[in-house]
Amino acid sequence: MEKIQQAARIIASSSDVLVFSGAGVSAESGIPTFRGEGGLWERYPTNIYANLPGLAGVFLLSKDRIASFFSDALRPLVEAKPNPAHEALARLEEAGKISAIVTQNIDDLHLAAGSREVLEVHGSAYRVRCSRCGAREGRSRKDINDVLDKLDVPTISRRQMISALNEFSGNCLCGGRYRPDVVFFGESLPMETIEEAADRASRCDCLLSVGTSVLVYPAATVPAIAASFGASVIDINPCETTLSSTADVFVKMKAGKAMPAIADEVLRLSN
Ligand code: NAD
């Protein structure tokens, strides 16, 4: 409990706390992490499935394989609900104790928990983006479930599959085609979002890293920028990360247990 109290004291005495979150914060919502056991990428190699040309190739070779990939990647996301870690972070924002969350996640669970200042540096599964003009449009859990239900029918033809996917993504008013608004491997991060994240990192006086290995670049520069500008660093993770040894406090616990305890203590200290 000493580590929880240390982390809470730093957060309570800081004026600008920036959160940096990753797949681990959603693990207890049932979404496997990127590197963890049973993760998606054990079954679907990233060099093929984590980029659009690779996915197009799989589609041509095996429509069943692409349907099972979409189902395995997206069903856990649409079925997930915010867990106590997301809720604790939302409570801290509501109380004015954290200024924003920079998340690498695409699952929208911070927003679903009630957090408002969320910078999604890897995009969102719940948006599409025009490949021509960059306009964005939202897609609901129901939209995703509906397209997955269509793709899951074993007798579906390739033509029907393309039409279901086209219907889901749709066309932009400019005439361009929409694509998923997620950052695939090798693609650039959304410039405005990552610039804002870097700017906030340079101004914050505490960086709270939750559930991330801090290995995926360029997003992982966010905590490095904060530390280089003198921010205190708190790392919450059941395993060591690239931040743990230099962090001011390393809370070696799952986020769903650590974050509610930290939030309770911060709010107690602030009252
Ligand atoms: P990662 O898989 O590299 O690391 C996950 C980290 O979470 C690990 O350090 C692990 O020890 C930790 N972890 C596991 N369970 C935890 C728990 N209950 N509480 C706290 N920490 C826990 O993931 P990453 O660092 O986010 O980078 C991988 C990339 O893949 C990122 O872009 C990430 O957003 C993306 N991704 C996103 C989702 C999602 O949207 N939920 C899921 C998988 C991968």
Side-chain angles (χ1 to χ4, degrees):
M1 285 312 269
E2 181 50 30
K3 297 283 182 189
I4 298 275
Q5 276 157 6
Q6 280 177 19
R9 276 198 293 274
I10 294 176
I11 295 170
S13 62
S14 298
S15 58
D16 187 341
V17 179
L18 183 66
V19 177
F20 182 63
S21 76
V25 80
S26 298
E28 289 157 88
S29 294
I31 304 175
T33 61
F34 178 59
R35 290 183 174 77
E37 252 176 59
L40 187 70
W41 308 112
E42 275 181 3
R43 282 162 290 147
Y44 301 98
T46 50
N47 58 343
I48 300 173
Y49 288 88
N51 62 82
L52 286 174
L55 286 173
V58 179
F59 174 74
L60 292 175
L61 287 171
S62 164
K63 66 180 178 56
D64 293 345
R65 186 79 181 140
I66 204 81
S68 67
F69 171 71
F70 282 135
S71 181
D72 289 348
L74 294 171
R75 292 272 191 215
L77 244 64
V78 290
E79 282 161 13
K81 302 253 182 317
N83 67 50
H86 299 106
E87 286 157 5
L89 288 165
R91 263 199 297 146
L92 285 173
E93 183 187 348
E94 177 70 26
K97 295 295 163 197
I98 61 175
S99 53
I101 299 175
V102 175
T103 188
Q104 301 162 86
N105 295 346
I106 60 165
D107 58 32
D108 101 335
L109 291 180
H110 286 303
L111 291 166
S115 291
R116 287 185 297 270
E117 287 292 316
V118 182
L119 302 178
E120 297 172 316
V121 290
H122 289 163
S124 168
Y126 298 97
R127 278 194 311 266
V128 289
R129 183 177 83 240
C130 175
S131 335
R132 189 191 285 176
C133 73
R136 292 181 164 88
E137 219 179 76
R139 294 289 179 270
S140 66
R141 280 174 166 68
K142 183 178 179 313
D143 294 332
I144 296 179
N145 265 326
D146 286 351
V147 72
L148 291 178
D149 287 345
K150 287 180 192 162
L151 298 184
D152 273 349
V153 175
T155 52
I156 190 171
S157 67
R158 274 199 181 75
R159 194 180 290 272
Q160 287 167 323
M161 222 172 201
I162 292 173
S163 122
L165 289 167
N166 281 346
E167 200 183 310
F168 169 78
S169 43
N171 288 323
C172 179
L173 287 176
C174 81
R177 286 214 54 75
Y178 281 126
R179 50 152 285 170
D181 189 23
V182 296
V183 177
F184 288 95
F185 274 39
E187 294 186 336
S188 304
L189 273 58
M191 191 51 81
E192 270 179 29
T193 313
I194 192 68
E195 277 179 357
E196 186 181 346
D199 179 50
R200 282 179 178 270
S202 70
R203 286 187 282 115
C204 73
D205 57 357
C206 172
L207 188 287
L208 173 60
S209 179
V210 190
T212 169
S213 57
V214 198
L215 282 171
V216 177
Y217 281 85
T221 52
V222 169
I225 292 170
S228 73
F229 276 80
S232 311
V233 174
I234 301 168
D235 188 20
I236 300 185
N237 200 305
C239 304
E240 287 208 7
T241 76
T242 58
L243 290 182
S244 312
S245 64
T246 51
D248 295 80
V249 186
F250 172 36
V251 183
K252 199 166 193 268
M253 283 169 70
K254 289 188 175 182
K257 198 155 178 231
M259 275 319 306
I262 291 172
D264 287 348
E265 186 61 7
V266 170
L267 298 177
R268 192 186 68 77
L269 290 170
S270 311
N271 280 328

